[in-house]
Amino acid sequence: SITSQVREVSHQLQTSDIVNASLQELCLRLYEQVSLNREVKFDFQMHIELANVDISDVLKTHIFRILQELTNNILKHSKATLASVVLDEIGDHLYLTVSDNGTGLDATSGRGIGLSNIQDRVRLMKGNIEMNNSESGGFEVSIIIPFKTDSE
């Protein structure tokens, strides 16, 4: 299936590949992977200029792994037809919003290990995260992550 293909390619991106690519390049690769899926139309928007910013490899890896998990969840669980990934750099923070028009998170099933891992990664980066079912249907995750422009 397309989902397993995306998962396989995602796992092929080893940490060394992440370290050697910019966040923009990693997002573009992820967009190309998830776009193989014909059932969900992804809209990726990046408004970041981190090429001039010394973003740590650890931060970049966390952000990319969060994006992988969220997009994989959309493909596997949401039954969505549309999904949006927005990454904005505003001041010294990154704003990441991932949303879909799927079934939303079932309150009775609770959060799985993937969402728990995302929360742990955000906490490690001293960021904030909100996860909500959208009023119009679907699910939305909003994350704010501070980053340092000087050496960390």
Side-chain angles (χ1 to χ4, degrees):
S1 74
I2 293 293
T3 304
S4 60
Q5 289 173 359
V6 169
R7 187 177 191 96
E8 183 179 319
V9 173
S10 294
H11 288 297
Q12 289 172 1
L13 273 175
Q14 300 301 319
T15 302
S16 60
D17 296 325
I18 294 172
V19 168
N20 293 325
S22 71
L23 186 58
Q24 294 94 321
E25 291 169 329
L26 293 169
C27 290
L28 185 59
R29 285 187 208 169
L30 185 61
Y31 172 70
E32 289 169 353
Q33 292 166 11
V34 298
S35 293
L36 296 172
N37 182 293
R38 299 285 180 235
E39 294 163 19
V40 183
K41 181 178 182 342
F42 277 87
D43 176 30
F44 265 65
Q45 296 180 33
M46 287 186 295
H47 307 103
I48 55 177
E49 298 177 11
L50 290 173
N52 302 327
V53 175
D54 182 23
I55 183 170
S56 76
D57 292 335
V58 171
L59 200 67
K60 182 170 49 171
T61 301
H62 283 314
I63 294 165
F64 181 66
R65 294 296 185 206
I66 288 170
L67 281 171
Q68 278 184 314
E69 182 65 34
L70 290 173
T71 54
N72 194 44
N73 283 353
I74 290 170
L75 293 173
K76 280 176 61 177
H77 305 297
S78 73
K79 299 185 175 91
T81 56
L82 297 171
S84 171
V85 177
V86 180
L87 189 58
D88 285 316
E89 174 189 347
I90 301 172
D92 58 356
H93 288 79
L94 287 177
Y95 292 79
L96 172 62
T97 305
V98 179
S99 59
D100 65 56
N101 69 346
T103 56
L105 186 66
D106 182 359
T108 60
S109 68
R111 291 191 164 95
I113 187 120
L115 292 179
S116 293
N117 287 342
I118 290 170
Q119 289 175 314
D120 290 342
R121 286 182 186 273
V122 171
R123 211 172 297 119
L124 285 170
M125 294 184 290
K126 299 179 177 25
N128 296 314
I129 182 169
E130 289 184 18
M131 298 186 206
N132 298 299
N133 284 329
S134 168
E135 290 180 21
S136 59
F139 190 60
E140 181 172 289
V141 177
S142 298
I143 300 171
I144 301 172
I145 302 163
F147 65 89
K148 297 178 182 171
T149 56
D150 52 5
S151 61
E152 297 188 322

